[in-house]
Amino acid sequence: MDLGIIGQAAGLFAVTNIDDILVLALFFAQGAGHPGSARRIVLGQYLGFAAILAVAVAAAFGATFLPESVIPYLGLLPLALGLKAAWQAWKDHRHGDADDGGPQGKEGGPSPLEVAAVTFANGGDNIGVYVPVFAAAGVGGMTAYAAVFLVLVAVWCFAGRFFATRPVIAEALARWGHVLLPLVLIAIGLLILIEGGAFGL
């Protein structure tokens, strides 16, 4: 594999996914204390990113799974999940259940599909960047890009978990994560909708 392509792929991934580290840290903080939550978050991140890659590769080959006009409406996914998380946080606060001091069952924390939906929706702009790069790179280059991207997804998951488990950050996320996660998801959703001109915005 050409070192130049590896460097280009790593740079492209970092530039287009820098915001995912914050979202991942919030997901890992939300899943803290729930057995298996880290595995579910990593699985969801891979599912979401694999979907982004699949659409980008298909588009580079000329298939149109997602018309360009549809991409801004992907913002509805994180917006809906953010509103759901905000509603849950409000209900928990109202009933005094925001923190019961321990694990809350084997399926606590975000589900793989929730993480995948946010990853895919947040990656709508990535698709627009990846398609011309993939088309120019050819099959060999595209394979190299995809391989590097999939390795870096693991690095991103590690970084998100690392930040979520640093004492100062973990304490802040434990205290404010139930507020930050909905806010970040809603902000991402609105940004995607507004920047893409969805609903004539």
Side-chain angles (χ1 to χ4, degrees):
M1 199 181 283
D2 190 313
L3 286 177
I5 288 184
I6 292 174
Q8 289 168 18
L12 183 62
F13 182 90
V15 167
T16 54
N17 292 283
I18 195 70
D19 53 339
D20 276 354
I21 291 181
L22 171 62
V23 177
L24 280 166
L26 288 166
F27 277 140
F28 280 117
Q30 187 186 40
H34 299 288
S37 68
R39 188 170 57 249
R40 290 191 294 274
I41 292 164
V42 171
L43 174 62
Q45 185 71 9
Y46 265 102
L47 286 173
F49 197 80
I52 290 169
L53 273 182
V55 172
V57 167
F61 280 121
T64 53
F65 287 154
L66 285 178
E68 198 171 318
S69 60
V70 170
I71 290 177
Y73 294 94
L74 291 175
L76 292 171
L77 286 171
L79 181 61
L81 289 170
L83 291 171
K84 178 188 168 195
W87 173 251
Q88 188 61 49
W90 180 78
K91 277 197 335 187
D92 288 347
H93 177 73
R94 189 173 163 211
H95 293 101
D97 298 331
D99 184 9
D100 66 1
Q104 301 172 9
K106 59 181 181 178
E107 290 299 323
S111 74
L113 287 179
E114 287 175 331
V115 176
V118 171
T119 302
F120 184 73
N122 198 27
D125 55 339
N126 296 24
I127 294 168
V129 175
Y130 296 162
V131 170
V133 173
F134 286 0
V139 175
M142 207 182 299
T143 305
Y145 272 97
V148 172
F149 285 0
L150 291 173
V151 168
L152 289 175
V153 168
V155 173
W156 248 235
C157 289
F158 176 81
R161 190 167 192 198
F162 176 82
F163 287 123
T165 55
R166 295 308 91 197
V168 173
I169 298 172
E171 188 179 332
L173 290 177
R175 188 168 184 181
W176 299 107
H178 66 288
V179 174
L180 281 176
L181 182 63
L183 286 178
V184 168
L185 293 180
I186 290 168
I188 288 171
L190 289 174
L191 198 62
I192 293 169
L193 290 168
I194 292 167
E195 284 189 346
F199 304 113
L201 296 172

